[in-house]
């Protein structure tokens, strides 16, 4: 959530935590999907 809350770019997050920018973007994508599913339930696109 550092990107959303603090305005960090994926490149900056990647450098801070020692991963690639691609991994930072993918983790952000996964986190957003999990949050959406938790808030809206399975109808939010969980596919299950």
């Amino acid at each position: 959530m550092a990107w959303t809350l603090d305005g960090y770019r994926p490149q900056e997050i990647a450098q801070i935590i020692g991963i690639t920018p691609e991994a930072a973007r993918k983790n952000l994508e996964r986190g957003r999907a999990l949050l959406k599913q938790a808030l809206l339930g399975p109808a939010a696109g969980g596919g299950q």
Side-chain angles (χ1 to χ4, degrees):
M1 298 306 276
W3 181 79
T4 303
L5 298 176
D6 298 327
Y8 286 103
R9 295 188 321 257
Q11 295 84 352
E12 293 170 312
I13 295 169
Q15 186 176 24
I16 291 167
I17 63 175
I19 61 175
T20 66
E22 293 80 17
R25 282 189 288 274
K26 189 63 175 178
N27 288 341
L28 178 60
E29 179 182 321
R30 289 178 183 154
R32 285 181 175 157
L34 287 171
L35 179 60
K36 183 177 181 180
Q37 186 174 358
L39 294 175
L40 301 177
Q48 297 177 4

